[in-house]
Amino acid sequence: MAKIAFILLCHKDPEAIIKQAERLTAVGDYMSIHFDASAKPEFYTQIRNALDGNPNVTFSKKRIKCGWGEWSLVQATLHAVEAAVDAFPRATHFYMLSGDCMAIKSAEYAHEFLDREDCDYIESFDYFDSDWIKTGWKEERLIYRHWFNERTQKRRFYGMFALQKRLGLTRKIPEDLQIMIGSQWWCLRRRTIEWIIDFTKRRRDVMRFFRTTWIPDETFFQTLVRHLVPEHEIRSRTLTFLMFTDYGMPVTFYNDHYDLLLSQDFLFARKISPEAKELKRRLGLLYATRGWDFKISNEGRSLFKFLTGRGRIGRRFASRFWETESSLGRERELLIVVCKKWHVAKRLVDRIRQMTNIPCIEYLFNEESTPLPDLGGIQSTMGKRHRHRRALMRMLFDYYDSDRLIICLDPSNMDLLDDFCHDRSTTRLLEVECIFTDDYLTGHAMRVGLAGEKTPQETLDRLLPTIRGDIQFEIDQIRDANYENHNRMREADSPGANAIALENFLAIGHEKAMEIAKTDYLFAD
């Protein structure tokens, strides 16, 4: 049975640290604490007085002052790890935590999870080949020496960097190491931890290198584990659930995130808001429970992206200057079928294709796999299709040698609708209004990754109104735009009423329009 020694680096909120230590050790696990030497001395005294009598808690023999991006964070971790190795010989796993992490599974579940595979859990991606670093310095973190703290000593930090760069004072990366990068929230086996401690004593050259590396807590353990442990024994993931906003800031969890957190495929979560008293209470009770059946759906990140994305209205890609003045052609007619249920629109245009000679292209701006002719590469990626939308459409008109062309768009593509509807060509819209049942919306949420087979009903009950509201918001946007030549088919209407909309949209006779409107199973899900 796995027994976990938690490695806790902290610098504030002594009451929360005491409660966290008591909760996690009450079931037989251990904790080793490094409390920042720059924090208030009375906080440390308070923690020691409360926990010194707990045999499952130990403290770093040496405390140091820690700073963001510095080697001090790695050194503090090593001090806490060494204390844990000495104090807890029965610990099988060592798990990095911060003061604002909390368990989102029971101890029973966590121990069984770690017993399933004999492996280490640590994000470990190739430093140069991966895109883990999105912006800012990359090679500069390693090949230059960084002695000063970037946040508290900015002038010295950037001054020394500029001096080294001007003088060409770069250094080599240790030749036998493949530098890796990843989250600092890892869970390592005892054997791996002992190998790392031994490595730090033998390889002083590596230690010197990392001591002046910028943000080494993202590279030190990640590199050493990959160097010391066979690849098949490493799972390049963290067991701590955390998310970041578009601005690189950690997402904070509050009281109403309880069900969401429990359904994620992780053992802990970060960051829990200090104000989320009820969430902390419920999660604290959870760790000691037994027999809890966790339903893992793992939709947290995709759900967060969906919900935050709803608040952003605007163009995904700005128009290029050469596109702004380029028309599809005054004599051309672009017919756009707008429908949220793609399978309905595809059935409709397939029937139109059979009944008319108008070329039809399905969701070319939504589906990468949409069949398109070779147009010299402009059609090759979704990004190019969006950026060069007008050029792409002109080439498609030319390819099909037609002045009329039908395409399908999702209602979320307001930027495309705006662009095409304000072109000098004639643009006609056919909005296909479908009925969205709860069962359909649940299936839709699963298809796009917002929910899974095991998503709790309580989560779905909160999610479905949001999705329904999002769909209605897109429809309202289109109607508020007051586009010319806007026609509407409705699932709730009769074939006769829908035939009139098709007549106006396609400029065809009533009989043909009626035959299209009567298409079998047109609106079936």
Side-chain angles (χ1 to χ4, degrees), residues 14 51 53 55 73 75 95 117 136 203 250 256 275 280 358 361 368 415 420 451 505:
L51 298 176
L73 289 174
Q75 186 62 69
Y95 196 123
E117 285 192 275
R203 293 295 302 271
D256 57 350
E275 286 76 39
K280 288 188 173 186
I358 307 173
I361 305 172
E368 193 95 49
D415 58 335
F420 293 143
F505 176 64

Side-chain angles (χ1 to χ4, degrees), residues 151-164:
R151 292 190 174 180
T152 61
Q153 300 171 293
K154 279 189 180 294
R155 291 185 64 183
R156 291 180 177 180
F157 179 88
Y158 289 106
M160 287 303 301
F161 168 73
L163 180 63
Q164 292 177 79

Side-chain angles (χ1 to χ4, degrees), residues 3 5-7 77-86 88 91-96 119-122 184 186-202 220-221 224-225 228-229:
K3 292 186 76 68
F6 294 103
I7 310 300
T77 304
L78 289 172
H79 286 326
V81 164
E82 289 167 354
V85 169
D86 292 341
F88 310 125
T92 61
H93 293 77
F94 295 75
Y95 196 123
M96 268 291 293
C119 62
D120 296 305
Y121 294 92
I122 181 169
Q184 64 269 51
W186 42 254
C187 179
L188 304 177
R189 295 167 295 175
R190 185 180 194 92
R191 183 189 67 178
T192 303
I193 286 292
E194 290 173 344
W195 284 351
I196 289 173
I197 292 173
D198 179 64
F199 184 92
T200 62
K201 295 174 180 176
R202 290 187 293 105
F220 179 78
F221 289 99
L224 266 58
V225 170
L228 297 169
V229 178

